[in-house]
């Protein structure tokens, strides 16, 4: 158990502030890059939340407070920031930080590209932020930016200004950062695993990183193509691609955009799913139920995710409906498999509920509603009624927005001790959880009802009927309750960084390799690694002896040839690189 | 019961119960607010089918929610660590369970797929070919709706019209029936008459945001008219005139949905359906209305600044009332005019004609012409009139006995001289480019680039 002990000095306790700053600015250490991603994405997330509060203030009652132009700019930037600058990079943050640790690697395969990816992301974000300062303001056609309203050609009455170009270029950069990141994740997973870490022994979070990496790699170039065409359309070609007045095809954009953006919703949710899988494994002391079916479900979701994009276009009149309806319905199956596996993991578990676990359970509850409402949308005739109403807004927030956020918050509470050597405060954590859980349900459940009642999305004012006014007021209240929850979280982060209880290497009795090193880990990650014989090497180390005679206890998942019982000694993986 | 009490004593047990209570409260809320967990009452046959399907999906959804939520609460509530060294079972899979929870959802979604497929067929079915249908040409534009109807002009195409948009000359069997400003409708395409020289009628194509379509010789030609009523109900701030589309209860209605600029969507919540208005396409939505009344509706696809204000009302009238309304709107065929009109030479003649353009400009705005024709006569709901080539006397007639939905202006309100002033001003404003420049700009660029 030597690996579990042995404190290390924190690697970033610089001698003076400037040296520390320089060290962070020039770092190629995946852990520091991960933490920088986390801070940056967190800051963007707060900005995105502030935008949502502006929107909710405007919509609390019928009538207007801010101009339509401002509202359109704010809702566009809310979506763009939350997706491109919060959810995607927060996933990247955890994948950067934890994945190499989980597979026992020294760092990413390409540490410099990793740093480059972070700085490109930051630059892309800065470009979006700067668009507030240019004439005409930011992009204001939604995060989906459907042309021709994004173009200054044809008959568009209020053509957008330079902010739209900055948006297009900014998102191209963010996509490029994603692509760099994904190549790194994939090569690292394929080539840098520690001896014994076979593919079927990868922790589920690492599996989700792998599938996410593939999705990013295959879909983001298509988005980039669309963005480049959009940019050319605005700067020279005058709508030749997307404006029918000049022979373009507006639906072409939608096809390209969703070919990326449907997989992108999984790019955002899969890492969160990975986090809650790991959390369930730790706090139940149970193996993840159906580990292999979890992996297959992940892959299934990934594959199906590429053939359902047009379900966002059911009402365009330009889609072969039965095919996309069928494929969309099917995606509910692997989603359901994951849900049942998580529940079965807690079943007969020795469960404890620290904040990380609460957020994971919260994730299940929110994601359940998200998945069910997805089936409403999959039924095309029902989608004809619900598309572009608040029902969609409720659906996708329940899934990729708030469920994913819950997963990521679970990740914060879970890995904070590893990152900073201190626990987050549990009391504040519980308060945070309850405020947020109640707040977001008030917001998004009410949005579902509002959508059923026919209120369209993306409007800055609505007809003052009593039902809509009441529901909108409830949503606004919920939004402020959620924001209060997030303020508690913010306070908790700073409070815990300063006064948090010290955490050892393995404060949660973790199961995966990141807990086999100090908190925070040294620059080279590990001094030594335990033997890896299953997807839970530390669990084997801790309880293996005691469970020796348990017929259900399998190392190596019991699926490898000889089936039940304890497996043989570790087989160094063919592809694993030599430990330095 | 005892497990219950034991759990209530632990902090997490209590939290779990609270969580359960919240979930139940949500459910109860949805149960109580029955009207709000359902889609609105449908006022169309297709809407009824959609609503039935919705209830099926909703029922399954609620059942799944209750079962899975109960499972979550059960495992959270029931299984707690009792001592620090407790080790739970290490069962990591169970074939039966896994097959069940893969198989049952698969069966459910396949069933839902099949049912949804048939509902889809049903709601998208076109009217019987021999059934009398009502056709409404819906045009969305930033940020207004226009609803056009058509009656037979009484003549057919004498020669085919190609789909080439630069082909703007058409031959009619009886060209004497057309007058300036008239909108002809061939198939789903709208063409505005600008000139007539002998047998040749010159039109503007793609005036309804549609792609030019080939029309065979002998095709029926219709006269299209704008049937948009408005009501000043002020349903929404800064959108005080709500456009109304009037339709009958009973027959199948064919909405041809088009856009003149960007994306919009035709959405009437009580039809339980919507269809995007995509520039460059004409899309069909079939609706059979079952109830008379006014149904609040609004654009459902983001279309720029005033998207929120693109509201409209569907007014469903009993068939007899509709007939009367329609006859009144359609009016009688316009008085034919002899000889040629429009054409280059005439513009020459009219140019520099009497009239004070400055006064004309202020009249244009004070009379509110800009509301329909745009601030520089570029055309909105009303046609493009910048640099109009219609002769002045014909324009004066239009003021007095307007064709289509334009307001009449009697001489005591707008004198002939006033019209001449406006006319003079209109000759000074630039004519906007043609709506549809096809072949594409891209082709042009490629050509230009070699
Ligand atoms: C059971 C699984 C799911 C099904 C069947 C499903 C189905 C659908 C359908 C048909 C739509 C289009 C609705 C419309 O615009 O009319 C939609 C929208 C959306 N879904 Fe899902 N969904 C599922 C799960 C998810 C998950 C897991 C995520 C995210 C991780 C997600 C994120 C979204 C987003 C972001 C949108 C709308 C985006 C926008 O219009 O801005 N969905 N879903
Ligand atoms: Cu999707
Ligand atoms: Cu709109």
């Amino acid at each position: 158990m030597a690996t579990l002990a042995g404190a290390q000095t924190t690697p970033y306790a610089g001698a003076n502030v400037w040296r520390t700053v320089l060290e962070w600015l020039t770092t190629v250490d995946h852990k520091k890059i991960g933490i920088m991603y986390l801070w940056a994405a967190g800051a963007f997330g707060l900005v995105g939340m502030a935008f949502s509060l502006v929107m909710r203030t405007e919509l609390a009652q019928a009538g207007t407070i801010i101009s339509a132009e401002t509202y359109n700019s704010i809702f566009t930037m809310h979506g763009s920031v939350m997706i491109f600058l919060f959810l995607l990079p927060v996933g990247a943050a955890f994948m950067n930080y934890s994945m190499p640790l989980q597979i026992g690697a020294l760092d990413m395969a390409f540490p410099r590209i990793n740093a480059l990816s972070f700085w490109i992301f930051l630059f892309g974000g800065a470009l979006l932020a700067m668009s507030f300062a240019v004439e005409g303001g930011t992009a204001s056609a939604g995060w989906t930016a459907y042309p021709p309203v994004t173009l200054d050609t044809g008959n568009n009455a209020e053509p957008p200004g330079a902010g739209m170009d900055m948006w297009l270029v900014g998102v191209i950069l963010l996509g490029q950062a994603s692509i760099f990141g994904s190549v790194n994740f994939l090569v690292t997973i394929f080539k840098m695993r520690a001896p014994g870490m076979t593919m079927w022994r990868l922790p589920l979070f690492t599996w989700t990183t792998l599938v996410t990496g593939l999705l990013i790699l295959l879909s983001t170039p298509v988005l980039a193509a669309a963005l480049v065409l959009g940019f050319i359309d605005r700067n020279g070609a005058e709508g030749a691609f997307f404006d029918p007045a000049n022979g373009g095809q507006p639906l072409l954009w939608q096809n390209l955009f969703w070919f990326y953006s449907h997989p992108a919703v999984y790019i955002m949710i899969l890492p969160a799913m990975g986090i809650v899988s790991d959390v369930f494994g730790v706090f139940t002391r149970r193996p993840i139920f159906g580990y292999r079916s979890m992996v297959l479900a992940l892959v299934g979701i990934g594959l199906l995710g590429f053939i359902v994009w047009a379900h966002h276009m059911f009402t365009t009149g330009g889609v072969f409906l039965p095919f996309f309806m069928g494929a969309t319905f099917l995606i509910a199956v692997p989603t359901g498999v994951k849900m049942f596996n998580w529940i079965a993991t807690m079943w007969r578990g020795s469960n404890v509920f620290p904040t990380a676990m609460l957020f994971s359970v919260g994730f299940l509850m929110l994601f359940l509603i998200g998945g069910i409402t997805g089936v409403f949308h999959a039924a095309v005739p029902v989608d004809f009624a619900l598309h572009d109403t608040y029902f969609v807004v409720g659906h996708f927030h329940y899934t990729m927005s708030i469920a994913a956020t819950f997963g990521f918050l679970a990740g914060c509470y879970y890995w904070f001790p590893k990152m900073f050597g201190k626990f987050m405060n549990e009391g504040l954590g519980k308060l945070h959880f309850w405020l947020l859980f109640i707040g977001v349900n008030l917001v998004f459940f009410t949005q579902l009802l509002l959508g059923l009642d026919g209120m369209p999305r993306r409007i800055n004012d609505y007809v003052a009927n009593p039902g809509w006014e009441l529901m909108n007021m409830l949503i606004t209240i919920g939004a402020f309750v959620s924001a209060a929850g997030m303020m508690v979280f913010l306070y908790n982060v700073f409070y815990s960084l300063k006064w948090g209880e010290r955490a050892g290497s393995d404060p949660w009795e973790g199961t995966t390799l990141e807990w086999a090193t100090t908190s925070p880990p040294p620059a080279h990650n590990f001094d030594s690694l335990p033997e890896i014989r299953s997807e839970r090497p530390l669990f084997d180390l801790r309880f293996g002896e005691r469970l020796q005679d348990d017929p259900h206890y399998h190392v190596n998942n019991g699926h490898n040839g000889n089936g039940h019982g304890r497996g043989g000694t570790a087989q160094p993986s063919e592809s694993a690189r030599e430990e330095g | 019961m005892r497990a219950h009490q034991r759990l209530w004593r632990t902090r997490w047990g209590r939290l779990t119960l609270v969580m359960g209570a919240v979930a139940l409260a949500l459910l109860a809320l949805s149960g109580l607010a029955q009207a709000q967990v359902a889609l609105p009452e449908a006022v169309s046959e297709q809407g009824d089918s959609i609503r039935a399907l919705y209830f099926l999906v909703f029922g399954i959804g609620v059942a799944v929610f209750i079962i899975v939520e109960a499972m979550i609460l059960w495992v959270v509530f029931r299984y707690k660590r009792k001592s620090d060294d407790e080790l739970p079972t290490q069962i990591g899979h169970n074939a039966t369970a896994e097959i069940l929870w893969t198989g049952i959802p698969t069966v459910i979604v396949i069933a839902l797929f099949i049912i949804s497929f048939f509902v889809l067929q049903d709601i998208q079915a076109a009217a019987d070919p021999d059934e009398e249908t009502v056709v409404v040409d819906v045009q969305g534009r930033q940020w207004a709706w226009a609803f056009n109807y058509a009656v037979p002009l009484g003549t057919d195409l004498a020669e085919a019209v190609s789909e080439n948009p630069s082909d703007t000359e058409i031959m009619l069997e009886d060209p004497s029936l057309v007058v300036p400003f008239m909108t002809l409708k061939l198939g789903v395409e709208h063409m505005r008459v600008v000139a007539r020289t002998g047998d040749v009628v010159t039109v503007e194509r793609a005036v309804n945001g549609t792609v030019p379509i080939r029309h065979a010789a002998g095709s029926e030609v219709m006269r299209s008219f704008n049937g948009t009523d408005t009501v000043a109900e002020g349903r929404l701030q800064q959108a005080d005139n709500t456009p109304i589309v009037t339709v009958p209860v009973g027959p199948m209605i064919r909405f041809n949905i088009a856009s003149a600029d960007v994306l919009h969507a035709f959405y009437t919540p009580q039809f339980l359906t919507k269809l995007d208005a995509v520039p460059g396409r004409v899309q069909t939505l079939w609706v059979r209305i079952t109830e008379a009344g006014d149904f609040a509706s609004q654009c459902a696809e983001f279309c720029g600044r005033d998207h929120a204000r693109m509201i409209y009302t569907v007014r469903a009238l009993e068939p007899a009332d509709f007939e009367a309304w329609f006859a009144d709107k359609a009016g009688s065929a316009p008085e034919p005019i002899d000889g040629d009109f429009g054409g280059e030479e005439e513009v020459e003649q009219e140019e520099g004609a009497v009239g004070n353009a400055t006064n004309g400009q202020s009249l244009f705005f004070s009379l509110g012409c800009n509301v329909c024709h745009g601030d520089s006569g570029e055309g909105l709901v009303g046609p493009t009139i910048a640099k109009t080539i219609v002769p002045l006397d014909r324009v004066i007639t239009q003021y007095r006995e307007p064709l289509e939905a334009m307001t009449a202006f009697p001489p005591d309100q707008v004198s002939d001289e006033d019209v001449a002033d406006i006319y003079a001003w209109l000759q000074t404003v630039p004519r906007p480019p043609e709506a549809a420049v096809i072949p594409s700009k891209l082709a042009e660029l490629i050509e230009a680039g070699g």
Side-chain angles (χ1 to χ4, degrees):
Chain A
M1 291 228 183
T3 45
L4 296 180
Q8 283 276 332
T9 49
T10 53
Y12 44 83
N16 66 56
V17 181
W18 291 113
R19 230 186 72 198
T20 316
V21 170
L22 196 69
E23 200 180 307
W24 281 80
L25 289 182
T26 57
T27 188
V28 295
D29 179 342
H30 74 95
K31 299 181 290 300
K32 288 187 181 168
I33 293 173
I35 288 173
M36 288 197 293
Y37 258 118
L38 200 55
W39 283 113
F44 282 126
L46 288 176
V47 173
M49 190 181 80
F51 290 157
S52 75
L53 295 180
V54 175
M55 288 153 65
R56 285 321 315 172
T57 307
E58 166 68 74
L59 293 175
Q61 289 179 297
T64 56
I65 303 168
I66 53 177
S67 69
E69 284 96 335
T70 312
Y71 183 85
N72 294 344
S73 155
I74 296 284
F75 89 69
T76 300
M77 293 315 276
H78 165 74
S80 307
V81 165
M82 285 306 204
I83 285 172
F84 298 117
L85 297 174
F86 170 62
L87 287 170
L88 289 168
V90 135
F94 288 118
M95 296 191 284
N96 258 297
Y97 189 91
S98 305
M99 181 273 287
L101 290 171
Q102 288 199 326
I103 62 172
L106 302 179
D107 202 321
M108 288 283 202
F110 310 113
R112 280 164 214 278
I113 292 185
N114 202 22
L116 181 63
S117 148
F118 172 77
W119 293 107
I120 293 179
F121 148 71
L122 212 58
F123 186 69
L127 208 55
L128 291 198
M130 283 184 312
S131 68
F132 278 96
V134 300
E135 202 184 323
T138 65
S140 58
W143 80 283
T144 51
Y146 283 4
V149 83
T150 53
L151 304 177
D152 49 8
T153 55
N155 313 318
N156 191 4
E158 297 271 324
M164 192 67 228
D165 293 314
M166 293 168 82
W167 187 91
L168 290 165
V169 175
V171 177
I172 291 176
L173 291 175
L174 296 169
Q176 186 54 53
S178 266
I179 293 174
F180 277 154
S182 71
V183 171
N184 231 332
F185 298 141
L186 291 174
V187 177
T188 306
I189 295 174
F190 287 130
K191 288 292 176 198
M192 309 273 291
R193 280 167 289 135
M197 182 58 81
T198 61
M199 293 306 275
W200 283 122
R201 291 172 183 169
L202 292 179
L204 275 174
F205 178 72
T206 296
W207 264 113
T208 56
T209 307
L210 196 163
V211 176
T212 305
L214 282 171
L215 293 184
I216 293 175
L217 195 60
L218 294 175
S219 66
T220 315
V222 177
L223 174 71
L227 294 166
V228 170
L229 296 186
F231 188 83
I232 297 175
D233 243 13
R234 287 178 48 80
N235 297 282
E238 290 171 35
F241 294 108
F242 302 126
D243 185 358
N246 280 336
Q249 269 293 344
L251 295 188
L252 171 64
W253 167 275
Q254 295 187 26
N255 278 300
L256 294 174
F257 180 85
W258 287 114
F259 189 84
Y260 164 76
S261 289
H262 184 81
V265 304
Y266 293 108
I267 293 170
M268 290 174 261
I269 195 78
L270 293 187
M273 290 178 164
I275 293 171
V276 303
S277 302
D278 283 11
V279 166
F280 284 136
V282 169
F283 297 107
T284 59
R285 288 188 179 167
R286 300 248 298 116
I288 276 292
F289 200 89
Y291 171 86
R292 289 195 180 206
S293 70
M294 284 299 245
V295 173
L296 291 179
L298 272 177
V299 174
I301 288 176
L303 290 177
L304 282 175
F306 276 107
I307 55 164
V308 297
W309 77 89
H311 67 208
H312 298 271
M313 303 165 56
F314 283 156
T315 66
T316 57
V319 170
F320 181 60
L321 299 170
F323 175 81
F324 288 99
M325 169 160 80
T328 304
F329 269 130
L330 277 187
I331 227 167
V333 174
T335 313
V337 166
K338 299 193 76 71
M339 178 64 74
F340 291 118
N341 277 326
W342 284 317
I343 295 173
T345 304
M346 280 190 283
W347 170 77
R348 293 180 64 185
S350 173
N351 306 342
V352 285
F353 292 88
T355 309
M357 187 70 169
L358 280 189
F359 272 102
S360 300
V361 173
F363 169 93
L364 294 191
M365 294 184 166
L366 298 172
F367 192 70
L368 174 64
I369 299 182
I372 291 173
T373 50
V375 174
F376 284 56
H377 283 302
V380 172
V382 178
D383 185 68
F384 283 169
L386 298 177
H387 175 70
D388 266 337
T389 68
Y390 264 92
F391 196 90
V392 181
V393 182
H395 158 70
F396 73 74
H397 278 93
Y398 262 117
T399 52
M400 50 92 80
S401 308
I402 207 61
T405 302
F406 266 53
F408 291 132
L409 287 170
C412 283
Y413 284 95
Y414 178 57
W415 279 315
F416 191 93
K418 180 53 55 186
M419 292 176 176
F420 305 107
K422 293 176 176 179
F423 282 102
M424 286 191 80
N425 183 288
E426 281 290 309
L428 289 173
K430 306 273 145 73
L431 182 61
H432 171 207
F433 172 79
W434 284 108
L435 283 174
L436 198 62
F437 188 75
I438 292 168
V440 298
N441 276 298
L442 199 53
V443 172
F444 301 117
F445 202 81
T446 316
Q447 286 188 342
L448 294 175
L449 301 181
L450 194 53
L452 283 175
D453 210 35
M455 174 153 157
R457 64 192 287 206
R458 294 177 170 172
I459 56 178
N460 69 326
D461 192 11
Y462 48 90
V463 175
N465 71 52
W468 286 12
E469 286 213 295
L470 174 69
M471 286 191 265
N472 274 294
M473 183 52 87
L474 283 178
I475 295 171
T476 301
I477 293 169
F480 280 93
V481 172
S482 314
M486 289 314 292
M487 289 300 114
V488 172
F489 173 69
L490 197 65
Y491 175 71
N492 195 355
V493 168
F494 289 105
Y495 172 91
S496 306
L497 278 176
K498 205 161 167 54
W499 293 294
E501 202 185 314
R502 290 228 146 260
S505 325
D506 187 10
W508 306 120
E509 301 191 345
T511 60
T512 45
L513 290 182
E514 73 267 37
W515 307 106
T517 183
T518 54
S519 304
H524 54 282
N525 286 354
F526 298 97
D527 289 331
S528 66
L529 281 169
E531 197 183 7
I532 302 161
R533 287 176 300 137
S534 76
E535 83 284 5
R536 307 186 283 169
L538 267 65
F539 183 90
D540 301 335
L541 204 59
R542 183 173 296 111
F543 297 118
E545 296 288 288
R546 274 179 61 195
L547 287 168
Q548 219 169 38
D549 302 322
D550 184 336
H552 296 297
Y553 175 62
H554 317 299
V555 289
N556 206 9
N557 299 308
H559 285 283
N560 241 10
N562 58 351
H564 291 220
R566 303 192 61 168
T569 45
Q571 299 290 317
S573 125
E574 278 163 40
S575 51
R577 216 171 69 167
E578 273 299 317
E579 277 288 319
Chain B
M1 181 63 198
R2 243 177 298 130
H4 215 94
Q5 284 167 351
R6 212 173 38 235
L7 268 152
W8 190 248
R9 245 177 276 127
T10 70
R11 219 154 117 239
W12 302 125
R14 279 199 296 276
L15 284 182
T16 315
L17 288 181
V18 173
M19 226 193 285
V22 170
L24 285 178
L26 280 180
L27 219 90
L29 231 163
S30 32
L32 284 176
Q34 180 57 44
Q36 310 203 316
V37 292
L39 288 166
E41 292 282 350
V43 296
S44 69
E45 226 172 66
Q46 290 82 356
D48 282 330
S49 307
I50 295 174
R51 201 157 186 266
L53 178 65
Y54 167 81
F55 277 121
L56 176 69
V57 177
F58 179 75
I60 293 173
V62 169
V64 170
F65 176 79
I66 291 175
I67 292 168
V68 179
E69 191 72 17
M71 286 163 73
I72 296 174
L73 289 172
W74 168 251
V75 293
V76 167
F77 183 69
R78 168 73 183 75
Y79 300 106
K80 306 270 177 181
R81 188 170 303 173
K82 288 175 203 70
S83 69
D84 227 22
D85 62 349
E86 180 189 50
L87 265 179
T89 170
Q90 296 298 309
I91 295 175
H93 56 98
N94 178 311
T96 320
E98 289 178 63
I99 288 170
L100 280 180
W101 68 51
T102 314
I104 295 176
T106 309
V107 172
I108 293 177
V109 295
I110 290 176
L112 276 179
F113 170 78
I114 293 170
I115 296 167
S116 303
F117 179 83
F118 286 110
V119 173
L120 186 61
Q121 299 272 297
D122 173 39
I123 63 172
Q124 290 200 313
D128 221 291
D130 353 292
E131 189 188 335
E132 188 126 348
T133 60
V134 172
V135 180
V136 184
D137 295 316
V138 177
Q139 186 201 47
R141 56 160 77 231
Q142 287 169 317
W143 290 276
W145 294 96
F147 305 104
N148 293 288
Y149 301 74
V151 287
L153 179 63
T155 184
D156 294 341
L157 268 189
E159 257 175 43
V161 181
S162 79
E163 61 206 35
N164 182 348
S166 54
D167 186 359
T168 55
E169 298 193 336
I170 64 175
M171 307 285 279
L172 298 181
E173 275 163 9
D174 180 1
S176 72
L177 292 172
V178 302
V179 299
F181 294 131
M182 181 184 263
T183 302
L184 302 180
K185 186 181 169 195
L186 283 119
V188 293
E189 193 185 358
H190 291 65
M191 303 176 175
R192 189 170 285 127
V193 174
V194 291
R196 185 179 68 206
T197 321
D199 282 353
V200 179
V201 177
T202 307
V203 294
E204 270 177 10
R205 294 186 73 181
V207 293
N208 201 23
T210 58
V211 175
I213 296 164
R214 206 194 118 78
H215 305 281
S219 306
E220 187 184 27
V221 180
M222 313 274 283
R223 168 171 69 89
S224 169
F225 62 92
N226 188 332
T228 316
D229 285 331
T230 58
V231 53
E233 55 170 20
R235 220 161 81 199
L236 192 61
Q237 269 189 10
Q238 299 152 40
D240 13 49
N241 274 321
T242 312
I244 298 174
V245 49
T246 308
V247 284
V249 174
M252 272 289 235
I253 301 161
R254 174 180 176 157
F255 291 102
N256 285 328
I257 297 171
S259 163
D261 39 45
V262 301
L263 298 166
H264 303 277
F266 182 80
Y267 173 41
T268 302
Q270 278 157 288
F271 292 167
L272 275 65
T273 192
K274 62 177 69 67
L275 187 60
D276 292 0
V278 181
R281 298 170 72 105
V282 181
Q283 323 219 67
T284 302
L285 184 69
W286 291 100
V287 177
R288 191 193 300 279
I289 297 180
T290 51
E291 231 174 81
D294 279 1
F295 310 116
S297 312
Q298 85 186 88
C299 175
E301 181 63 65
F302 182 73
C303 56
R305 191 190 64 207
D306 285 340
H307 165 56
R309 268 157 282 285
M310 252 182 93
I311 57 177
Y312 65 97
T313 293
V314 172
R315 174 165 293 168
L317 300 178
E318 292 301 342
D321 299 340
F322 178 77
E323 299 280 297
W325 174 88
F326 189 88
D328 180 45
K329 275 282 163 188
S332 46
E335 223 27 60
I337 37 177
D338 294 332
D340 299 348
F341 60 81
E344 297 300 323
E345 315 81 55
E346 264 176 284
V347 180
E348 301 295 322
Q349 285 167 23
E350 299 294 339
E351 208 122 42
V354 284
N356 172 343
T358 324
N359 184 40
Q361 180 174 16
S362 68
L363 281 170
F364 188 78
F365 288 91
S366 61
L367 293 171
C369 313
N370 60 318
V371 174
C372 291
H373 294 286
D375 286 352
S376 47
E378 74 276 18
L380 287 175
V381 182
T384 308
I385 50 173
K387 283 219 176 11
T388 179
I389 52 175
V390 175
L392 176 59
D393 58 341
R394 181 60 216 168
V395 173
I396 294 175
T397 316
Q398 171 71 10
Y399 273 72
R400 311 299 180 223
E401 294 150 31
L403 206 58
E404 296 208 13
M406 184 169 139
T407 325
F409 294 93
D412 56 332
Q413 202 183 340
V414 188
S415 66
D416 286 3
E417 291 73 46
D418 289 341
V419 179
D421 288 353
I422 296 172
Y423 191 85
W425 179 68
L426 284 175
Q427 298 304 331
T428 68
V429 291
R431 195 170 168 81
E434 292 294 310
V437 188
I438 301 170
S440 84
K441 185 77 190 172
L442 185 63
E444 267 173 51
L445 285 175
I446 291 167
E447 235 166 72

